[in-house]
């Protein structure tokens, strides 16, 4: 059977203040700002991408920072926690770092035999660090966090569901995921080769309130596919399954299709190519504002209205 879904591609979230968002993810968490562009549907708002050195699929966390946007609320029908992986030996380093930066955290806890800590960003987005030596990816060496302690990329995303059965059916029957663990109402699925970056947890949450979108809430989660051809195959299968999947949309750095899973969470399937080096060298990723062709004629006005960003 041809592989259509490899694992996670990116997670996109709404945020408040732009500079606070940059400070949190580049300075505190140590990710690289790999692309500074705008929301293609609303160019008066940045679209910021953070990841590893090249912004590889499975490492990319993106934000639309809307300034004074009210906070969202975690609940069912939402991706509530995005987990990154870090080496086992870095547990004390990260707990000390969060404490020094006045970031409240809870844990360490155990889940599926792995240790993790849980915290939130400045807008309330749920983040976890899972400590594992199963992740062979290289983290971004920003000169402040030792390379051997740097986060490697995504580990898992957690989907809170009121009635998880149809979501599980979608993942296993159409999106090529396999159940690999069950623990206290949490069902873990892997895609592709499995391992960090390829896990999705479906959490049965019958007592949770419904999620409310706002700053700190996830807008959508994207799954990776190898090519335009594999994307069209999964698009066709989703349509045959009754999902209202969109036409292919050009996002410059990948092509995308979108649909809502049965629990209401917006899913995307994004191609791995062409990647973030298509319009600037890897060494310069994230340093200049990149606009899609349709907005180049408005560059001066767009740049004047967007807040200045400083990467420490």
């Amino acid at each position: 059977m041809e592989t259509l879904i490899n694992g996670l591609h990116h997670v996109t979230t709404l945020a408040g203040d732009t500079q606070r968002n940059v400070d949190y993810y580049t300075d505190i968490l140590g990710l690289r700002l790999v692309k500074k562009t705008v929301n293609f549907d609303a160019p008066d708002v940045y679209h910021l991408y953070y990841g590893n050195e090249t912004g590889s699929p499975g490492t990319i966390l993106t934000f639309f920072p809307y300034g004074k946007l009210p906070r969202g609320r975690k609940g069912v029908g939402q991706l509530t926690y995005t987990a990154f992986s870090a080496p086992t030996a870095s547990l004390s380093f990260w707990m000390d770092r969060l404490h020094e930066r006045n970031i409240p955290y809870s844990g360490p806890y155990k889940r599926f035999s792995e240790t993790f800590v849980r915290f939130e960003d400045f807008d309330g987005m749920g983040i976890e660090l899972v400590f594992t030596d199963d992740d062979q990816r290289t983290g971004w060496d920003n000169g402040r966090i030792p390379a051997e302690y740097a986060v490697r990329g995504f580990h898992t995303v957690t989907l809170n569901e009121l009635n998880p059965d149809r979501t599980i059916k979608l993942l296993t029957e159409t999106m090529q995921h396999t159940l690999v663990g069950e623990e206290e109402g949490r069902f873990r699925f892997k895609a592709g080769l499995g391992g960090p970056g390829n896990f999705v947890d479906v959490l049965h949450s019958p007592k949770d309130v419904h999620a409310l979108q706002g700053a700190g809430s996830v807008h959508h989660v994207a799954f990776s596919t190898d090519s335009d051809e594999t994307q069209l195959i999964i698009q066709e299968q989703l349509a045959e399954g009754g999902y209202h999947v969109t036409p292919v949309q050009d996002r410059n750095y990948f092509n995308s299709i979108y649909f809502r899973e049965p629990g209401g969470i917006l899913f995307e399937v994004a191609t791995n190519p062409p990647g973030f080096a298509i319009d600037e060298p890897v060494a310069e990723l994230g340093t200049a504002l990149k606009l899609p062709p349709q907005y180049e004629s408005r560059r001066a006005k767009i740049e004047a209205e967007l807040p200045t960003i400083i990467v420490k």
Side-chain angles (χ1 to χ4, degrees), residues 28-256:
I28 295 175
L29 211 55
L31 303 179
R32 185 184 189 189
L33 178 62
V34 293
K35 191 62 61 180
K36 184 168 59 174
T37 184
V38 295
N39 182 338
F40 285 12
D41 301 316
D44 58 333
V45 177
Y46 275 120
H47 194 176
L48 304 177
Y49 293 74
Y50 306 96
N52 65 0
E53 181 179 11
T54 60
S56 302
T59 74
I60 313 161
L61 183 60
T62 98
F63 287 90
F64 298 124
Y66 281 92
K68 295 182 179 180
L69 185 69
R71 272 198 176 200
R73 181 179 68 200
K74 292 184 183 65
V76 294
Q78 186 186 56
L79 192 165
T80 51
Y81 283 91
T82 301
F84 291 87
S85 71
T88 302
S90 67
L91 172 61
S92 296
F93 170 85
W94 279 105
M95 289 195 296
D96 290 345
R97 184 173 183 81
L98 295 172
H99 179 73
E100 291 166 359
R101 300 305 179 98
N102 296 314
I103 306 295
Y105 68 90
S106 60
Y109 306 111
K110 283 281 188 181
R111 187 170 62 210
F112 295 121
S113 302
E114 294 177 318
T115 300
F116 72 99
V117 296
R118 171 176 282 182
F119 48 100
E120 295 181 340
D121 75 4
F122 292 138
D123 291 311
M125 179 190 172
I127 301 172
E128 295 171 340
L129 285 180
V130 179
F131 298 91
T132 176
D133 292 328
D134 291 340
D135 196 340
Q136 302 305 310
R137 296 174 294 181
T138 303
W140 169 238
D141 183 359
N142 67 357
R144 293 186 300 275
I145 296 174
E148 65 268 30
Y149 295 161
V151 299
R152 303 310 201 218
F154 294 139
H155 182 280
T156 315
V157 294
T158 296
L159 313 180
N160 286 47
E161 301 283 357
L162 187 62
N163 300 301
D165 290 352
R166 288 195 298 157
T167 299
I168 291 173
K169 183 177 180 181
L170 166 67
L171 287 171
T172 56
E173 296 186 3
T174 306
M175 296 187 69
Q176 299 184 326
H177 284 65
T178 304
L179 179 68
V180 293
E182 180 179 351
E183 185 176 283
E184 297 179 348
R186 178 181 293 267
F187 302 86
R188 172 157 294 179
F189 300 88
K190 73 169 187 178
L193 299 176
N198 299 319
F199 291 132
V200 174
D201 284 1
V202 176
L203 183 63
H204 186 204
S205 307
K207 296 181 180 178
D208 282 2
V209 296
H210 282 275
L212 183 66
Q213 197 158 76
S217 66
V218 170
H219 185 267
H220 64 263
V221 55
F223 297 84
S224 90
T225 193
D226 284 333
S227 65
D228 292 335
E229 290 73 23
T230 55
Q231 185 180 60
L232 291 176
I233 295 172
I234 190 71
Q235 181 192 43
E236 181 178 356
Q237 293 183 2
L238 288 166
E240 289 174 350
Y243 292 94
H244 299 289
V245 58
T246 69
V248 175
Q249 298 185 36
D250 181 358
R251 298 308 188 191
N252 261 19
Y253 312 107
F254 42 83
N255 289 325
S256 300

